Amino acid sequence: MHRHGQRTLHLARRAPCRSAALLALACSLARCGDGTATQLLVVVSTEPAEGLPVEAVEVEVQSEDALTTWESARFPIVGATGGRFTLPLTFGVVPRVASASRVRVIARARLRDGAATRSLVASALTTFISGQKLLLPLVLDYRCDLQPPCPMGSSCGPQGCVSEVHPAATLRAIGPDDPPHATGSSCARPAEACIDRCDEGSRAPVTRFVDPARRTTLTATPSTPPCCGDQSVAARDVFSVSPTPRPDLLPLYICRATDGATLYSLRESCDGYHFREGILGYIVSSATPGRCGTVPLYRLYNPSTADRYYTTREDERDHLVGSGYRLEQVAGYVWPAPAMSIDPVGCADGTREAFSDPIVFPRIAACAGPWTVPGIFPPVPPSTDAACATLGNSSATAPADGEGCASSNLCAVGWHVCRGGEVMPRTANTGCAASAFPANTFFAAAVSGPGCFRCALRSNTVTGARCTNSACNDNCSRTSCSLECRESDDLNNDLFGCGTIGYGAPTECDGLDRTPGDNCESIPGTTWRCKGPYSESRLVTKVGPANGGVLCCRDGA
């Protein structure tokens, strides 16, 4: 350790523990500190700003007038170069001589911000009590990085700038029966400053709303729209926050721009947005990822709509990035939505039209209904409109014409429109022949092809006897009519599925045996609309609940 200032400390060989002002860490404290009853046991915890990593914690012990620094040390934190210590950080301070004068203890967390460094500072001015070991907590709070430095004689903490004076009589005395304190994620009592306690507290589930411009907002009060105008519920229980403040949690501020877009930020400044309208709830900082069972809350931005979207789901994040959103950052860490129970029926309206017995067919269902959002392949994500949640033939609450709904809305939560290669293993390798289908119906899978009633299937599946995984053609076009095409988003010619109407598919297609043909020409007078002979799978809609729908497959099976 370095010693500097007007007076220089020389360690005495005869009594090393009594000589040093700064006593080392808790791992040494059990050996050195227990022999010195008169001391301060300092516990440093931190909640850094916006996830900036802590590079080191620096500690100084000074005289009350700050003219003398008796002792200083730098503790590199695990994850930084040479890091050997973790937070919370525990160390002892013992008096140099028997004295009633006050001593100042200062802790700084060095934060790494790219090539630059920043710091959080907390200090306390107190005295020793002869024959006692006193607990002195120092909390380095992230808010201190967002406001001007505190004036002399005060220290920044969770309540802002407060007096740094901690009378010794107000500190907790640690008795011989108290367990040893340790550094790291374990929170040995009675270290009240430790932020790893994971006090469960209460949880408020967050509801996602959407407005007519397809911009999303969040609220922890699901019965009340979060802002204004014509908003509808898009999804409930998307994640949870704490509804009440706690020392170890950060407020997630609700911020709005002049164009009505919404942003949720850990910064009171709202990242430049114009209006701060309250707090959504309290969450875990990005600086302590995963603490207390939390998961990352991803923030994405759509430049064409000015929408900012928040999700904890990696699959939803990846889909939105593929749809034009930009992944901006992890906004913080929240508690995940309750574990989803999978509907055994598989159809959003609770009724199967074929593969009717869920015991015999637990992983595939035929689900009827309409939709107006075009497309079935490439797969179209479900619409978030609340009215689409129970879409189907037997739903009394869904729009009869499927207005605003997608083909995937016909499947229940936890199910999706079947992809290439998924039908055979769910039907004991029998395909459509495993079930009877109602008259005048067709049920489509998310499978298309290169034309001429040929289908293309996903990687590691084959389209016919002549095609093996290593020989499938990756250079097909939507009019090549080849038997050896591997699936790609550009192959949108024809639809394939099961049913009683349409042409018989002339080649092996994962057990799918029906196709409507060009422009749905084989099923005239029905509710199917394909809008052209070459891009049916991308353009298809269904304007009424009759005449079938889609094949739904259970996720993850």
Side-chain angles (χ1 to χ4, degrees):
M1 299 177 185
H2 302 289
R3 291 159 292 279
H4 55 282
Q6 292 186 356
R7 294 159 51 193
T8 302
L9 174 66
H10 298 283
L11 297 181
R13 290 187 177 90
R14 65 181 182 276
C17 290
R18 292 283 297 174
S19 301
L22 189 61
L23 185 66
L25 291 177
C27 55
S28 300
L29 191 61
R31 299 188 296 272
C32 186
D34 287 350
T36 305
T38 304
Q39 65 178 261
L40 301 172
L41 187 62
V42 183
V43 178
V44 179
S45 61
T46 186
E47 190 69 40
E50 293 291 289
L52 295 177
V54 178
E55 186 176 66
V57 172
E58 298 173 345
V59 178
E60 290 185 2
V61 180
Q62 296 180 345
S63 61
E64 179 177 359
D65 58 12
L67 296 178
T68 303
T69 295
W70 287 320
E71 195 77 22
S72 66
R74 182 176 185 273
F75 302 113
I77 301 300
V78 169
T81 302
R84 295 181 293 117
F85 305 103
T86 55
L87 295 169
L89 187 70
T90 306
F91 58 90
V93 176
V94 299
R96 286 169 41 83
V97 294
S99 172
S101 63
R102 294 193 292 188
V103 63
R104 177 178 286 106
V105 181
I106 304 170
R108 296 180 180 88
R110 288 170 55 88
L111 308 177
R112 173 59 58 184
D113 187 3
T117 58
R118 290 148 61 182
S119 66
L120 304 176
V121 182
S123 62
L125 188 65
T126 190
T127 58
F128 299 96
I129 295 180
S130 179
Q132 291 192 22
K133 184 190 298 183
L134 305 177
L135 180 70
L136 178 63
L138 289 178
V139 181
L140 294 152
D141 195 273
Y142 89 103
R143 300 170 186 83
C144 301
D145 187 50
L146 307 177
Q147 63 186 42
C150 292
M152 181 68 71
S154 61
S155 176
C156 186
Q159 285 77 45
C161 292
V162 297
S163 172
E164 66 176 358
V165 176
H166 289 59
T170 65
L171 302 181
R172 179 195 287 257
I174 302 174
D177 295 331
D178 283 285
H181 292 72
T183 63
S185 61
S186 61
C187 190
R189 69 179 181 90
E192 292 88 351
C194 177
I195 64 171
D196 272 359
R197 287 179 295 183
C198 295
D199 178 12
E200 287 305 314
S202 58
R203 299 282 181 269
V206 171
T207 298
R208 179 183 292 124
F209 280 71
V210 63
D211 67 15
R214 309 303 299 165
R215 290 184 300 205
T216 56
T217 45
L218 305 172
T219 178
T221 310
S223 60
T224 304
C227 176
C228 44
D230 184 13
Q231 294 180 316
S232 59
V233 174
R236 299 184 186 274
D237 294 340
V238 291
F239 59 86
S240 292
V241 296
S242 171
T244 55
R246 297 207 322 250
D248 60 327
L249 299 180
L250 309 180
L252 189 61
Y253 294 103
I254 304 169
C255 311
R256 299 197 197 281
T258 53
D259 64 0
T262 308
L263 175 132
Y264 301 89
S265 174
L266 295 177
R267 291 182 175 271
E268 288 184 277
S269 63
C270 279
D271 292 338
Y273 272 45
H274 291 74
F275 309 106
R276 191 175 75 241
E277 297 188 353
I279 294 172
L280 180 69
Y282 299 85
I283 68 173
V284 170
S285 166
S286 300
T288 50
R291 186 168 62 83
C292 303
T294 53
V295 296
L297 179 64
Y298 301 107
R299 189 174 93 190
L300 302 105
Y301 177 68
N302 187 334
S304 65
T305 64
D307 179 40
R308 277 191 167 88
Y309 195 94
Y310 296 77
T311 182
T312 60
R313 291 173 44 189
E314 293 184 5
D315 61 337
E316 190 170 38
R317 174 202 65 190
D318 294 342
H319 170 75
L320 290 170
V321 169
S323 301
Y325 279 78
R326 296 198 303 255
L327 177 61
E328 289 192 320
Q329 62 177 231
V330 172
Y333 281 74
V334 297
W335 288 270
M340 181 177 61
S341 59
I342 303 299
D343 185 335
V345 175
C347 299
D349 63 359
T351 302
R352 294 187 179 197
E353 276 66 43
F355 301 109
S356 302
D357 190 338
I359 303 301
V360 178
F361 300 105
R363 298 181 297 162
I364 188 170
C367 305
W371 67 88
T372 61
V373 177
I376 195 169
F377 175 83
V380 179
S383 166
T384 56
D385 286 356
C388 300
T390 59
L391 191 65
N393 269 6
S394 62
S395 173
T397 58
D401 58 358
E403 180 63 33
C405 305
S407 54
S408 51
N409 284 110
L410 297 182
C411 301
V413 174
W415 294 66
H416 61 275
V417 179
C418 295
R419 300 289 303 275
E422 292 188 328
V423 172
M424 291 292 273
R426 288 168 166 76
T427 57
N429 293 321
T430 307
C432 297
S435 177
F437 290 84
N440 205 35
T441 59
F442 170 71
F443 296 87
V447 175
S448 192
C452 300
F453 300 170
R454 268 87 168 163
C455 74
L457 295 183
R458 303 173 75 183
S459 297
N460 302 316
T461 63
V462 297
T463 60
R466 292 187 296 147
C467 178
T468 64
N469 288 333
S470 61
C472 285
N473 187 351
D474 292 315
N475 297 310
C476 296
S477 72
R478 63 178 182 171
T479 58
S480 63
C481 293
S482 173
L483 287 171
E484 289 86 24
C485 295
R486 198 188 307 275
E487 176 185 275
S488 76
D489 288 355
D490 297 329
L491 302 182
N492 304 122
N493 205 332
D494 298 329
L495 304 173
F496 297 89
C498 303
T500 56
I501 54 178
Y503 297 108
T507 62
E508 167 56 31
C509 189
D510 185 40
L512 305 175
D513 62 6
R514 291 282 171 172
T515 177
D518 290 345
N519 202 24
C520 298
E521 64 184 21
S522 68
I523 46 177
T526 70
T527 56
W528 289 88
R529 302 289 184 270
C530 291
K531 301 179 182 178
Y534 301 115
S535 300
E536 295 95 324
S537 74
R538 189 181 292 275
L539 300 175
V540 63
T541 57
K542 196 163 171 292
V543 297
N547 309 123
V550 300
L551 297 175
C552 296
C553 286
R554 184 166 175 163
D555 293 350

